[in-house]
Amino acid sequence: MDIQKIETFIQLAKYLNYSKAAEKAYTTQGNISKHILALEKELNVNLFNRSKRQVTLTEAGCQLLPYAQQIVQQAHLMQETAAQINQKHQHSLTIYTIPTLISYPGLEKIAAFRNLHPEVNLLLKETENAPLSSIDFFDENTLFFTRLFHLPESSYEYKTVDQDHFVAVLPADHPLAGEKELALECLEREAFLLLGKETGLLTPILQLCQQAGFTPKNNYGGSRIDLILNMIASGLGISLLMEKTIQEKLPDQVVYLPIVPTKLSHLCFVRKKGQHSAANELFWESII
């Protein structure tokens, strides 16, 4: 049922004059007549008595008028509520982030934005790293702070805020701990404590080791860097980790060394290309 036709019914019932109703609705008398005839056909009742001298409501018109008024009132309330929801949505922003956000300038960017735009409802959600093509949470209101080894395809926008690379992490009393740099093949016989696949780091580590001519023996598969560091301190093995994720939490009994070869990663804010909310655009413009 067309709301505009119902509004025309209410206007004509109010003024009982086609000319006056057309004037108030900023339309023509012909359109008023078409709307009323179409509504009467849809309802299968006559809403008005028409004569050359005057227009009056029929008994059916009198009975249906209150319902028409309620329908229009509810329609306007629905439009107002939808506008409020949209306004709230435009001022909301969700940033999904990998657990190591604290190790990179991404956290500072988010904090600076919150201080600059307290009116934005900012929500942070932690998630593990994953290929961009497999992520289903991207929408106009969402960003992802993530680690990329290859910059994204053309359907994504990204802003890089930092870079990081793999280092070898060893017990301080390890025979190789005093070296300035390690060739990765020197670690072939070591027991490795590697982060799990869900972190997005296992695959590039395996590729590095295969490039060096071996497959590492892995004795771990979780996502806790602090646990790996404590296990290394206890002499349970070694690891390959991103340098900046361990600098602030390295136990005294643990050291890290550059390795050759290594892999460079990019720490980026990523979003899908297309239309974005006002809050999303504000944040994107704030990243320098």
Side-chain angles (χ1 to χ4, degrees), residues 170-178 232-238 252-255:
L170 315 171
D173 59 359
H174 192 284
L176 297 175
I232 294 172
S234 299
L236 296 177
I238 70 165
D252 293 339
Q253 308 95 317
V254 175
V255 298

Side-chain angles (χ1 to χ4, degrees), residues 134-274:
S134 69
I135 292 173
D136 59 5
F137 55 67
F138 276 123
D139 60 25
E140 65 178 17
N141 215 37
T142 302
L143 294 166
F144 186 22
F145 179 77
T146 188
R147 181 191 309 280
L148 300 172
F149 288 94
H150 304 285
L151 293 177
E153 59 190 69
S154 58
S155 57
Y156 297 93
E157 297 177 296
Y158 64 91
K159 288 196 176 184
T160 301
V161 298
D162 205 358
Q163 294 180 330
D164 205 354
H165 59 272
F166 286 114
V167 292
V169 189
L170 315 171
D173 59 359
H174 192 284
L176 297 175
E179 299 292 325
K180 291 184 178 180
E181 184 179 84
L182 286 179
L184 191 53
E185 58 262 29
C186 295
L187 303 176
E188 179 177 359
R189 298 184 181 279
E190 300 287 340
F192 280 81
L193 305 167
L194 301 178
L195 290 168
K197 186 176 181 179
E198 70 277 4
T199 65
L201 295 175
L202 181 60
T203 297
I205 287 174
L206 294 178
Q207 290 171 348
L208 273 178
C209 292
Q210 288 165 4
Q211 184 180 340
F214 70 96
T215 299
K217 178 184 176 183
N218 185 19
N219 293 334
Y220 184 70
S223 59
R224 290 183 54 189
I225 294 175
D226 59 335
L227 180 56
I228 289 179
L229 293 176
N230 286 328
M231 292 169 71
I232 294 172
S234 299
L236 296 177
I238 70 165
S239 190
L240 300 179
L241 296 168
M242 284 285 157
E243 180 178 13
K244 292 178 182 178
T245 65
I246 62 172
Q247 287 176 332
E248 300 298 325
K249 56 182 77 170
L250 204 67
D252 293 339
Q253 308 95 317
V254 175
V255 298
Y256 68 89
L257 304 172
I259 57 170
V260 179
T262 189
K263 270 185 180 287
L264 183 69
S265 68
H266 307 268
L267 287 303
C268 304
F269 287 100
V270 181
R271 66 181 185 178
K272 267 198 168 180
K273 287 185 177 179

Side-chain angles (χ1 to χ4, degrees), residues 29-69:
Q29 293 185 46
N31 283 336
I32 296 293
S33 181
K34 287 178 183 178
H35 287 178
I36 297 301
L37 289 172
L39 187 60
E40 287 180 330
K41 183 177 180 180
E42 186 174 356
L43 296 173
N44 198 29
V45 295
N46 290 326
L47 299 171
F48 294 94
N49 294 310
R50 302 167 181 84
S51 71
K52 292 183 179 181
R53 293 186 177 181
Q54 64 179 9
V55 176
T56 60
L57 280 167
T58 62
E59 182 178 349
C62 289
Q63 292 180 22
L64 294 176
L65 181 59
Y67 295 103
Q69 292 167 332

